[in-house]
Amino acid sequence: MFSVTVRDHIMIAHSFRGEVFGPAQRLHGATFVVDATFRRPDLDADGIVVDIGRATDELRAVLGDLTYRNLDEEPDFAGVNTTTEVLARTIADRLADRARAGALGDGARALTGITVTLHESHVAWASYERPL
């Protein structure tokens, strides 16, 4: 299996519901380094998994809909704890939608999976892996 990973970051504000979250129940900010990994079993005719420039642009566009926002106020997240895991799934699903729509180019239609990893710090991160 071949893979290509591109990286960007987001800065968000949010709060959590539930005693398990302790002080994070209050509104707080978070900065995540975001890795998006695109997979396929074979390279395309040009010898690549996906166009890195297009993958970078699409990740940036998806993150642009989230960054510098209070996620508690976003309708897409109404009633949802926007944990690192939930955000990883949301970003992966939005990238998958863009890939299926052709935003990553025709060669990307052979992608078989995407994994999104959100790094909360240098010692903690969460990922969501999905098929295409």
Side-chain angles (χ1 to χ4, degrees):
M1 187 66 64
F2 293 94
S3 66
V4 165
T5 301
V6 295
R7 176 175 276 183
D8 205 332
H9 73 284
I10 56 174
M11 300 168 71
I12 55 100
H14 61 170
S15 62
F16 297 126
R17 290 173 312 287
E19 290 298 318
V20 69
F21 295 105
Q25 292 176 83
R26 293 187 298 273
L27 184 64
H28 62 280
T31 300
F32 298 100
V33 172
V34 181
D35 291 332
T37 301
F38 301 87
R39 291 184 317 281
R40 63 190 284 171
D42 298 304
L43 300 177
D44 72 7
D46 295 311
I48 61 175
V49 172
V50 67
D51 181 300
I52 290 175
R54 282 185 161 186
T56 299
D57 290 346
E58 293 306 313
L59 177 59
R60 184 176 304 119
V62 166
L63 298 181
D65 292 338
L66 301 171
T67 198
Y68 297 117
R69 292 196 171 55
N70 178 351
L71 300 184
D72 295 350
E73 298 174 353
E74 293 295 315
D76 287 350
F77 298 114
V80 175
N81 275 333
T82 51
T83 62
T84 307
E85 296 88 340
V86 166
L87 291 175
R89 181 184 63 207
T90 298
I91 294 165
D93 289 347
R94 291 178 181 183
L95 284 171
D97 290 345
R98 288 171 176 263
R100 281 193 297 270
L104 294 171
D106 288 337
R109 294 192 190 279
L111 291 170
T112 58
I114 295 176
T115 301
V116 171
T117 302
L118 271 68
H119 301 263
E120 293 190 51
S121 72
H122 66 289
V123 297
W125 55 89
S127 297
Y128 180 74
E129 182 177 338
R130 57 156 297 146
L132 282 176

